[in-house]
Amino acid sequence: MRVRTTIAATVLVGLALLAGGVALVLAMRDALTDEVRDVARARAVDTAAALEAGTDPSFVTAGLDQDDDDAFIQILDADDVVAASPLVGGDPAVARLAAGESAEVTITGEDDEFLAVAADTDTDSYTVIAARTLDTVSESTSVVTDLLVIGLPILLAVAALTTWLVVGRALAPVESIRREVDAISSADLDRRVPNPPGNDEIARLATTMNSMLERLERGQARQRRFVADASHELRSPVASIRQHAEVAQAHPERTTVGALAETVAAENLRVERLVDDLLLLTRADEHTLQLQQRPVDLDDLVFEEAQRLRDATALRVDTTRVSAGRVSGDRAALWRALRNLGDNAVRHATSQVAFALSEQDGAVVLDVDDDGPGIAAPDRQRVFERFVRLDDARDRDAGGSGLGLAIVAEVVGAHRGTITVGNSGLGGARFEVRLPAIDALGAEAE
């Protein structure tokens, strides 16, 4: 880029200097020529005035300097040269011009060109041709041309050098960024590229690169934590299955096939659920989570989940505040999110869990309350992170895998909804889910 920019700038500056130099020479030549023409015209007019006053033509020309080779005068009548200055004595008329006309002429024995201007007397008896040499014009033009021939290349070289240095200095931070990025590997994503001062394009590029590296570092740390937590979660059921199998092998009298099969089936179900959760979250990260968009009566799902909890626990499950609520989405995914919320509430509740469902301002609002210890304000965002367990949910049997609420957040987000955590009127935590109502989405009813 530095070479291309320097070449392009040099070519453009060179063309501009060449055009400017040619224009300067031509303008100067025209100006000097006009000056010579004005002097010759004044002399021709003065000579014509002298002839009109009755001065003899030969007397007029006799007063000219014998050695003046820069100018001459010829006085013409209709047919011939009547009188002439010594420089053109005996020569024929250098030109036949009407009054006011001018022309470049040459004379015998002289290499220089002259600019001749004609003037007539009032009686048209004579035509006066006054001429001056163009030698000063040629010399001045030649001097300026020589100076330009020498100076323009120097100016062009200075412009090229300046462009090379300026572009090199401008691109130096880019080269520093390139070297730093080239040296960064997946093992040291904590490194950052140098951030030059200012707010130009390169400074913004460095800021963007550092932001990208920070995102990559966070993503890598999250991925490593995810893999480590998933591995740790999988070790528990695998270790449990192995332990029971080894006990059965070493002491067959202490267990039965049915008990061993029950244990293996339970732990296998635990592994299966964990794998399903990991697969769902992976698809969500890759934006390949396929959700059907169909009308779903969310109140039906709430009643089903409430009945499941009544059958599985001794807790009181309140659904008195559940009214109709219809959304557009994937029934299976919404059921899974609702089940995770129910399991979370049951896990922390002391004696009661409550569901509430209503439509508010074009949204279906679902509240899941429990009368447990609640969630501290600093932890209300962390609970939706993967493998996060608060202090009261460290036990892996009671606390789950730490993926339930993360799945809820992903499912709700995929349905263009929001989920928040607050204080419940029962004394514990309230999870509030807001989903667009089916009428607000403009969907057609079944």
Side-chain angles (χ1 to χ4, degrees), residues 2 6 157-172:
R2 188 179 187 184
T6 302
V158 171
L161 180 61
T162 302
T163 303
W164 177 267
L165 295 177
V166 170
V167 173
R169 184 174 182 179
L171 294 179

Side-chain angles (χ1 to χ4, degrees), residues 140-332:
S140 299
T141 303
S142 178
V143 170
V144 173
T145 302
D146 291 341
L147 291 176
L148 291 176
V149 169
I150 297 174
L152 289 184
I154 296 177
L155 289 176
L156 193 60
V158 171
L161 180 61
T162 302
T163 303
W164 177 267
L165 295 177
V166 170
V167 173
R169 184 174 182 179
L171 294 179
V174 178
E175 178 61 21
S176 300
I177 293 173
R178 187 202 65 79
R179 287 198 300 266
E180 185 66 22
V181 172
D182 185 62
I184 294 175
S185 65
S186 60
D188 53 2
L189 288 177
D190 58 324
R191 297 175 60 173
R192 296 294 181 265
V193 300
N195 199 348
N199 192 32
D200 56 9
E201 292 81 356
I202 297 178
R204 292 196 295 271
L205 172 64
T207 302
T208 302
M209 289 291 296
N210 285 331
S211 299
M212 181 194 69
L213 290 172
E214 185 176 353
R215 291 194 300 270
L216 291 176
E217 182 184 11
R218 290 200 305 267
Q220 185 190 60
R222 182 180 179 184
Q223 183 182 31
R224 288 177 176 175
R225 186 170 62 250
F226 185 85
V227 171
D229 290 338
S231 301
H232 192 72
E233 290 292 338
L234 289 172
R235 287 180 63 186
S236 296
V238 170
S240 178
I241 293 174
R242 181 177 179 181
Q243 177 185 1
H244 284 80
E246 289 177 348
V247 170
Q249 286 180 337
H251 305 282
E253 71 281 358
R254 295 185 180 182
T255 185
T256 64
V257 175
L260 180 60
E262 182 179 354
T263 301
V264 172
E267 295 298 337
N268 181 73
L269 181 61
R270 183 177 174 182
V271 172
E272 183 179 354
R273 288 176 178 175
L274 179 59
V275 171
D276 288 342
D277 290 345
L278 294 174
L279 182 60
L280 186 146
L281 293 174
T282 301
R283 288 174 178 172
D285 290 340
E286 296 176 351
H287 305 287
T288 58
L289 187 60
Q290 300 294 328
L291 296 178
Q292 297 179 354
Q293 295 296 324
R294 295 179 179 176
V296 178
D297 292 320
L298 198 57
D299 52 312
D300 291 344
L301 296 182
V302 173
F303 287 126
E304 290 178 10
E305 176 60 18
Q307 186 60 45
R308 184 185 71 87
L309 295 181
R310 292 189 184 103
D311 295 339
T313 68
L315 298 174
R316 178 173 178 266
V317 181
D318 182 11
T319 57
T320 57
R321 293 188 297 123
V322 176
S323 60
R326 212 174 196 208
V327 298
S328 178
D330 190 293
R331 180 182 177 87

Side-chain angles (χ1 to χ4, degrees), residues 26-85:
L26 293 178
M28 187 187 69
R29 181 179 181 86
D30 290 341
L32 294 176
T33 301
D34 290 341
E35 183 180 351
V36 172
R37 183 181 291 107
D38 292 341
V39 173
R41 179 178 290 109
R43 189 167 189 180
V45 170
D46 291 343
T47 302
L51 293 175
E52 291 172 359
T55 304
D56 185 79
S58 59
F59 180 79
V60 173
T61 57
L64 297 175
D65 189 353
Q66 297 286 338
D67 298 328
D68 188 2
D69 56 358
D70 292 336
F72 66 84
I73 292 178
Q74 283 186 332
I75 302 175
L76 312 177
D77 59 10
D79 299 321
D80 204 356
V81 178
V82 176
S85 58

